[in-house]
Amino acid sequence: MAAELSGLTWPRLRRWSPPLPLGLGLAVGLCLTLAALPAGAYRRSATELADIPLWWAETTFSYALDRVGSHDLDDGTDLAAVRLSFATWGEVTCDGEPYRMQIVDGGVVADREAGFDLESDNENLVIFLATSEEWRARDYSSIAIAMTTITHDTTNGRIYDADIEFNDGGFQFAVLPERSPALPRPVGSAQDIQNAATHEIGHVLGLDHSASADATMYSQATAGEVLKRTLADDDREGLCAVQPPESFQPTEGDSGGCSLVASAPGGLRWWAARLLFFRR
Amino acid sequence: MGTGARGRWSWCGVALLASLALSLPAAAAVVEGLSLAALGARASLVVRGRVESSVGAWDQGSRRIQTRTRVQVLEVLGGPASSGGARTDGSIVAVGGVLEVVAPGGVVGNLGQKVPGSPRFVPGEEVLLFLERVASGYTPLGLSLGKFTVRPAGRGGQVAVRELDGLVFQLPDGEIVPPGSPLAPAAEVPLPLPDDLLDAHGR
């Protein structure tokens, strides 16, 4: 099929050489179109200053859970909820192919220090800081409820480590029951752990907020919401763009020819191929 | 360059600008969505100042990079110093003095720690800060929620603007809203600050 397409298009393209400005504009326009076509809602996370998209080089992502968990729950449902959140992202496939990363449960650890150790191996941690004193000792603001720290190379956006911390001493977390839209909104401000963790893990994997209201990566949530426990198509497409399947694996630093567009280095190539060969 | 060529370059520029707009970063720390009045009431110190320097450094004995920002105090609007009091470390926050503000995340060499929602400081920038005490000094209350940039407004006035991208806000009923929502804290505040806000700090 690829050969047929090549045969149809290449002869005409090769005979015509557009002037430089128009050619550049067309190239940028093509990049923008390709970037927008998959869904146009998901966005990739990027470095703060140079706005280089963040990405994982490893094909295995191992996470570890804080042994203590949330002090609001002592029955193990807190850690089980976080595991379910990781599993939800782990089940994503890209047109039937697994994406270029395997999520592995690294178990529970006593380590409760987020960040990056230059001299030893690092765990991607999920931590519930049980007291306000613990939170303040890290110089964190008392009104922050959940924070993510992503350690990365500023020159190319490669992520080395990512940790999620919950201000468990200052705020209430819960495992809320599934509810239908007909049920009244719950009273209180407790956040569902699985709902929040699934969203935060999306950031850890390299996704930013989505413009799609149905997406787990949407920035808004209603009281007692559990909808973000399950992914929307937009979330899956975003992950497939960040971590394309092996058959479309980008090389390090590859920006797919569209380095100005933060929403898909490497992934652009996958989407372009998908548009050509898979979409009807 | 002819008109036609200029037109083609213009379209190219439009495409580039559009691509840059699409690439603007956002992200996600969850903070309490405090109003300006609530922010003032919760802050242990409110100052207007000018950024002297802002440098990323490893927090001693930890794995975290912090950005430490030195701010020359132009005005103390609230907090212990506004009524002649002292900081818990014994020093006075006074006009003309220098205050160190810590914020999570930053860059050391080629290694960066991105903490979505953490404020950025630019040397020379005039800032309005709602600060709280933490272990090693002061930090903006609610990350970027507590840090404003002071800018000139019309007719010689001033306005305080904050960059809220990177935050989402939890409301008292548990609802979470992004910046720009009618329920979210405003990104822009006219100056001077309302008297009742300052009154909460004994001014």
Side-chain angles (χ1 to χ4, degrees):
Chain A
M1 186 173 181
E4 290 170 18
L5 281 173
S6 298
L8 283 172
T9 54
W10 273 114
R12 295 186 69 168
L13 283 174
R14 282 198 289 197
R15 275 203 296 271
W16 182 65
S17 300
L20 178 62
L22 185 57
L24 184 58
L26 284 171
V28 172
L30 178 62
C31 290
L32 289 173
T33 306
L34 287 172
L37 274 173
Y42 71 81
R43 294 165 72 187
R44 292 193 61 170
S45 196
T47 60
E48 294 280 1
L49 297 177
D51 202 22
I52 300 168
L54 297 175
W55 57 284
W56 289 91
E58 289 74 17
T59 54
T60 299
F61 174 91
S62 177
Y63 68 90
L65 304 179
D66 156 24
R67 185 194 305 273
V68 180
S70 170
H71 79 287
D72 294 323
L73 299 159
D74 56 7
D75 57 0
T77 53
D78 47 357
L79 300 188
V82 177
R83 286 195 174 95
L84 283 171
S85 297
F86 277 107
T88 297
W89 286 103
E91 289 164 358
V92 171
T93 58
C94 309
D95 279 321
E97 287 188 70
Y99 63 95
R100 196 186 55 83
M101 181 181 267
Q102 187 183 10
I103 295 179
V104 175
D105 182 351
V108 293
V109 291
D111 188 358
R112 293 165 62 76
E113 281 297 324
F116 190 70
D117 190 336
L118 293 166
E119 295 171 356
S120 68
D121 292 339
N122 287 274
E123 302 271 13
N124 300 303
L125 296 169
V126 179
I127 305 166
F128 292 86
L129 293 172
T131 66
S132 298
E133 288 70 33
E134 275 188 293
W135 193 257
R136 283 165 53 86
R138 287 156 175 77
D139 291 335
Y140 294 162
S141 171
S142 61
I143 66 167
I145 300 164
M147 303 209 319
T148 303
T149 302
I150 302 173
T151 305
H152 61 279
D153 187 324
T154 58
T155 63
N156 59 19
R158 177 180 172 178
I159 303 173
Y160 295 125
D161 180 79
D163 303 308
I164 300 168
E165 293 168 283
F166 292 104
N167 185 358
D168 194 44
F171 297 89
Q172 193 181 4
F173 295 91
V175 175
L176 297 175
E178 294 280 356
R179 65 186 177 94
S180 73
L183 290 173
R185 287 156 64 114
V187 176
S189 60
Q191 291 294 326
D192 179 65
I193 290 175
Q194 190 180 340
N195 200 68
T198 310
H199 178 90
E200 294 299 329
I201 291 165
H203 289 306
V204 163
L205 295 176
L207 287 173
D208 217 315
H209 284 150
S210 168
S212 170
D214 298 330
T216 289
M217 296 314 295
Y218 190 53
S219 58
Q220 199 158 345
T222 56
E225 183 189 277
V226 294
L227 293 173
K228 288 183 172 58
R229 291 177 177 179
T230 49
L231 303 182
D233 286 345
D234 183 64
D235 302 305
R236 296 186 195 93
E237 289 173 356
L239 184 60
C240 290
V242 175
Q243 301 290 342
E246 282 291 346
S247 54
F248 299 99
Q249 182 178 354
T251 57
E252 184 170 347
D254 181 7
S255 61
C258 298
S259 58
L260 287 172
V261 182
S263 59
L268 253 183
R269 197 190 291 170
W270 184 77
W271 280 113
R274 186 181 175 212
L275 286 166
L276 283 171
F277 302 121
F278 301 126
R279 281 204 164 168
R280 297 285 183 266
Chain B
M1 187 184 291
T3 308
R6 273 204 301 274
R8 286 193 294 270
W9 278 111
S10 299
W11 278 110
C12 191
V14 168
L16 286 169
L17 284 174
S19 70
L20 285 171
L22 281 176
S23 70
L24 290 174
V30 188
V31 301
E32 277 188 271
L34 299 184
S35 66
L36 189 68
L39 202 64
R42 290 279 291 270
S44 47
L45 184 64
V46 185
V47 297
R48 190 170 59 84
R50 189 171 304 283
V51 175
E52 287 189 345
S53 63
S54 189
V55 179
W58 287 99
D59 183 22
Q60 275 194 334
S62 85
R63 307 168 188 170
R64 291 183 301 276
I65 294 175
Q66 291 182 322
T67 298
R68 295 185 167 270
T69 302
R70 287 170 58 83
V71 178
Q72 185 188 21
V73 178
L74 302 176
E75 188 178 6
V76 181
L77 296 164
S82 65
S83 54
R87 281 155 54 177
T88 51
D89 60 5
S91 60
I92 303 278
V93 179
V95 173
V98 174
L99 189 66
E100 188 169 83
V101 175
V102 295
V107 175
V108 176
N110 288 337
L111 201 65
Q113 279 188 347
K114 177 174 180 169
V115 178
S118 195
R120 294 184 210 170
F121 294 86
V122 181
E125 177 185 20
E126 185 175 334
V127 291
L128 171 65
L129 300 171
F130 291 75
L131 301 168
E132 67 174 308
R133 288 290 301 185
V134 284
S136 60
Y138 285 100
T139 196
L141 191 56
L143 302 165
S144 296
L145 188 68
K147 184 254 176 177
F148 292 84
T149 302
V150 178
R151 291 182 182 156
R155 298 183 181 178
Q158 287 184 319
V159 67
V161 181
R162 54 187 165 186
E163 177 56 67
L164 298 176
D165 211 27
L167 293 176
V168 292
F169 306 101
Q170 180 172 306
L171 305 180
D173 69 351
E175 185 172 359
I176 290 178
V177 296
S181 159
L183 299 173
E188 191 172 307
V189 174
L191 293 176
L193 293 174
D195 286 341
D196 55 349
L197 187 145
L198 302 178
D199 288 344
H201 281 282
R203 276 196 53 166

